[in-house]
Amino acid sequence: MPQTFTLAVTPLYAALIAILMAVLSTATAAKRGSSGVALGDGGDPGMALAIRRFGNLSEYAAMAVLMLLLMELSGIAARWLHSYGIALVLLRLLHPVILFDSMAVPAWKKAGRIVAGAGTALLLLVSGIALLMRAL
């Protein structure tokens, strides 16, 4: 008989990431409207920043949520899945707040960018290792 899975954790964090994506895409669209830029960034640093805020989330969140799903399907304990999901959402919320387009920014923004980027990379690494260990 095929094994059935009930997904209880991944949908929560996938939904939160989807809401964040909706907010960032709406902000990007609003910036396009106010700057009159239909495609690309039009040389507008604010437009370029809005694009990168959404783009960065799109680039990293999909794989991170997929890894969460695979970990849940492989039977990793819910407490670890929630820890991963909470960290993912917090790091992905932090990133657009601290993203900057010039090095002339406060040190806290530079530190926050390192935390958000390195933290997301660490989550991906940990989830990859966890899944490899389950598979071997």
Side-chain angles (χ1 to χ4, degrees), residues 3 12 22-23 39 42 64 67 71 87 96 98 102 105 108 119 136:
Q3 190 175 12
L12 170 65
V23 168
L39 188 61
M67 297 302 282
M71 288 189 298
I98 52 82
S102 164
V105 297
W108 69 268
L136 297 177

Side-chain angles (χ1 to χ4, degrees), residues 18-52:
I19 292 167
L20 179 57
M21 289 185 87
V23 168
L24 292 177
S25 67
T26 301
T28 303
K31 181 67 177 164
R32 286 195 182 286
S34 68
S35 66
V37 176
L39 188 61
D41 63 22
D44 178 342
M47 185 75 247
L49 196 55
I51 291 168
R52 285 311 312 141

Side-chain angles (χ1 to χ4, degrees), residues 104-123:
V105 297
W108 69 268
K109 274 199 165 195
K110 291 178 185 176
R113 190 169 181 177
I114 292 167
V115 167
T120 301
L122 181 61
L123 284 177

